[in-house]
Amino acid sequence: MKKQFLFGIIAVLMSAFIGACVYMVFFKKADTLAPVKEDDDTVGTFKLEEFSDDIEWYVENEYFPKEDVPGPLGFIDSPQTAKEMAEIVFLKVYGEKTVQNRKPFSVSFDEENQVYLIQGTLPDNIQGGIPEVLIRKSDGKVIAVWNYK
């Protein structure tokens, strides 16, 4: 009886571990998101094609105030510059209060397409979404900006 109970516990733990691994592989948008320390230049990775729906929404949404989106912003030479450029975009689109409440920003980079993904964070005590922006490294063109809830 003890052996069966022990095997049952091990099976449950293994199932939970495998389930978590499957979730991480198939359902997370970004492979590795950067830590969200304000002074941290660590960069995560992502694949641009994982954001095709967001890009399509941005391009096709006639109600999104694209005239408020600045750009191109110029060559993005570092993750810190990407954060600074993202903040400029977020301020124009969402306003000062929203941007200040969504810091710090995390930065991820798609090496193949040379595009930065900059995401805000949502504090526990605030409802709403987080601003996200895709910016091309070579010229700072904003590919898409949206608010993820």
Side-chain angles (χ1 to χ4, degrees):
M1 187 71 166
K2 270 185 161 181
K3 284 185 178 182
Q4 290 175 333
F5 180 74
L6 184 59
F7 285 126
I9 294 294
I10 291 172
V12 167
L13 291 173
M14 287 179 59
S15 297
F17 177 75
I18 291 169
C21 290
V22 167
Y23 172 79
M24 296 294 283
V25 169
F26 293 106
F27 296 106
K28 280 193 72 119
K29 274 191 170 182
D31 297 333
T32 309
L33 292 179
V36 290
K37 295 179 183 173
E38 191 64 36
D39 59 350
D40 191 351
D41 269 354
T42 304
V43 178
T45 60
F46 78 104
K47 297 290 183 193
L48 185 62
E49 59 267 10
E50 294 173 352
F51 291 86
S52 60
D53 290 342
D54 300 301
I55 295 168
E56 183 178 330
W57 174 88
Y58 174 76
V59 170
E60 294 179 359
N61 188 331
E62 63 188 61
Y63 300 106
F64 187 89
K66 292 181 187 71
E67 64 275 1
D68 290 345
V69 178
L73 304 164
F75 179 72
I76 309 295
D77 62 351
S78 70
Q80 185 59 39
T81 302
K83 286 181 188 180
E84 292 167 6
M85 296 301 108
E87 185 167 357
I88 290 169
V89 172
F90 295 152
L91 285 169
K92 291 287 280 178
V93 175
Y94 300 114
E96 178 76 29
K97 183 178 178 186
T98 298
V99 172
Q100 294 309 317
N101 289 333
R102 300 314 189 264
K103 287 184 177 182
F105 301 135
S106 66
V107 179
S108 298
F109 187 68
D110 178 334
E111 187 71 38
E112 180 181 340
N113 294 292
Q114 298 288 295
V115 172
Y116 283 101
L117 167 66
I118 302 91
Q119 301 170 301
T121 57
L122 187 63
D124 292 335
N125 60 343
I126 295 178
Q127 290 188 343
I130 59 168
E132 301 188 39
V133 64
L134 293 165
I135 304 175
R136 191 167 50 209
K137 179 180 179 177
S138 63
D139 61 1
K141 180 182 186 308
V142 174
I143 298 169
V145 59
W146 66 96
N147 194 6
Y148 183 75
K149 295 187 180 202

